[in-house]
Amino acid sequence: MKRKMLLSTIILPFLLMGCAQSQSKEDYGTPSSTAASVTDFADRTVTFEHVPERIVALSNGDMDIVYAFGDEVVGRPNSNGAIAIKEAENAEEVGSTHSIDIEKITALQPDVVLGGYPMNLKDVPAIEGTGAKVILTGANSVDDIKKQVGLLGEVLGKEDKSKEIIADIDHKVEEIQSELPEEKPRVLLVYGAPGTNMAALPNSLSGNLLEMAGGENIASDYPGLDSYPQYAQLNTERIIESNPEIILLMSHGNPEEVKDSFMNEMKKNAGWKDLDAVKNDRFIILPSELFGTNPGTQVTESLEFLQKTFKEMK
């Protein structure tokens, strides 16, 4: 009898311990395998079962943000000249937001493809057919870039870093806004390629940067184009009437050709030579990595460039 009582005394604590462990697991459950459920710029809800590791970026802006987080991409946008992010040099080129190479994307077997909205909305079914998730972003303003940073921070599990980057952007914007000139320079901001030139409107990223840096966009009330609502057709008569003091030129490539094309178009009007910008030779070709595309976290450098330009031309 004593032996039975002794065995019970020994075994019972282990049974109770096992029950307690079992009860603990039942009470608290196992950690969720879902990394994030996010809403992208196309108002699509995308759920991830784990933090993406193999990332493809179709724009320099998305790629810049990924590297700012300390991550890297396996696929990147094509580059005509120097690559925007040197650390991504060995990543496979997969096209761009305007023209994707679905075969290369498939071969890379990405967990997520970062595309542009609305350009890549039509490509979502094809990309998802490769087994990858798709996140669509956009950047028509500094606020959009901050939203983009926050969104990708959620997707990649870098919320703390994204908050830090957004705080840095806010600080720089506040600093620049505190030093705006009392008299804003009149500015024409032209986006183009040889034979095609458009005026950037305030609802474009470059137009937003222009106003935030203290410039007055002379094309602010021009009607937007149906196909490119952030840009307007150039109107020589209205440009001459507004008499810009500075003309900013931006393009993805061939900036001198863009300048020549624009000048040839404008010279057709006799009043062109009397513009303040023409008389003072105030034509500025903007750095393509800061203005010809979404600069991502480098948007603060874009603002600083414009601020410095306006200060030097007082």
Side-chain angles (χ1 to χ4, degrees):
M1 184 68 176
K2 288 182 179 180
R3 185 180 178 185
K4 287 183 179 180
M5 289 178 65
L6 181 62
L7 287 172
S8 297
T9 303
I10 295 171
I11 293 171
L12 185 58
F14 287 97
L15 290 175
L16 290 173
M17 187 183 297
C19 289
Q21 289 176 343
S22 179
Q23 182 67 36
S24 175
K25 288 180 181 178
E26 186 176 333
D27 287 347
Y28 298 105
T30 56
S32 171
S33 61
T34 300
S37 182
V38 301
T39 301
D40 70 4
F41 278 51
D43 205 27
R44 300 166 54 253
T45 299
V46 185
T47 302
F48 293 87
E49 294 180 356
H50 58 84
V51 175
E53 295 180 358
R54 296 184 62 80
I55 306 164
V56 165
L58 298 178
S59 75
N60 287 332
D62 282 324
M63 182 169 67
D64 172 87
I65 294 169
V66 170
Y67 279 85
F69 288 159
D71 291 332
E72 60 183 17
V73 301
V74 295
R76 63 175 175 85
N78 293 357
S79 56
N80 296 323
I83 182 171
I85 305 296
K86 187 171 176 57
E87 293 83 356
E89 189 173 11
N90 294 326
E92 183 75 28
E93 291 188 339
V94 294
S96 69
T97 53
H98 300 285
S99 178
I100 68 171
D101 190 324
I102 196 66
E103 290 184 7
K104 286 186 176 181
I105 291 175
T106 302
L108 289 172
Q109 297 183 315
D111 298 318
V112 65
V113 174
L114 309 177
Y117 175 75
M119 295 84 72
N120 297 124
L121 187 59
K122 67 182 187 309
D123 302 314
V124 169
I127 297 173
E128 288 182 335
T130 71
K133 302 281 188 176
V134 182
I135 292 292
L136 300 178
T137 69
N140 290 321
S141 67
V142 173
D143 281 344
D144 276 353
I145 290 180
K146 288 160 53 180
K147 178 182 174 183
Q148 186 181 17
V149 171
L151 171 61
L152 297 188
E154 288 185 75
V155 172
L156 301 177
K158 298 294 174 68
E159 290 94 338
D160 288 345
K161 184 62 177 176
S162 69
K163 289 175 183 176
E164 180 184 319
I165 292 171
I166 291 169
D168 287 344
I169 293 173
D170 284 338
H171 176 72
K172 177 53 66 176
V173 168
E174 187 176 316
E175 185 180 290
I176 288 174
Q177 294 282 295
S178 69
E179 300 176 1
L180 293 181
E182 292 184 12
E183 188 175 342
K184 297 180 178 181
R186 300 183 306 279
V187 183
L188 172 64
L189 178 54
V190 179
Y191 173 79
T196 303
N197 297 298
M198 301 176 287
L201 300 177
N203 60 336
S204 68
L205 175 58
S206 53
N208 180 238
L209 291 170
L210 166 61
E211 294 187 340
M212 292 185 77
E216 177 188 341
N217 189 342
I218 68 161
S220 60
D221 60 348
Y222 287 18
L225 296 168
D226 291 338
S227 51
Y228 299 99
Q230 288 81 37
Y231 297 90
Q233 184 174 356
L234 290 176
N235 185 313
T236 310
E237 286 73 22
R238 292 187 69 177
I239 291 172
I240 291 172
E241 182 181 346
S242 300
N243 189 20
E245 299 168 89
I246 305 169
I247 297 176
L248 303 176
L249 300 167
M250 61 180 182
S251 70
H252 289 298
N254 303 315
E256 290 298 335
E257 289 185 42
V258 169
K259 181 178 179 180
D260 290 342
S261 171
F262 170 73
M263 294 287 282
N264 290 334
E265 182 179 346
M266 294 297 106
K267 284 178 181 177
K268 295 175 183 177
N269 191 298
W272 170 251
K273 66 180 183 301
D274 295 322
L275 295 183
D276 286 346
V278 176
K279 288 188 293 186
N280 296 303
D281 194 25
R282 288 180 172 175
F283 293 88
I284 305 296
I285 296 176
L286 299 173
S288 60
E289 69 274 13
L290 296 180
F291 295 94
T293 182
N294 170 10
T297 63
Q298 297 179 70
V299 69
T300 53
E301 295 180 34
S302 305
L303 279 168
E304 287 176 329
F305 183 94
L306 289 176
Q307 182 189 41
K308 182 181 178 182
T309 298
F310 296 159
K311 281 184 176 180
E312 289 177 348
M313 293 195 170
K314 282 185 179 180

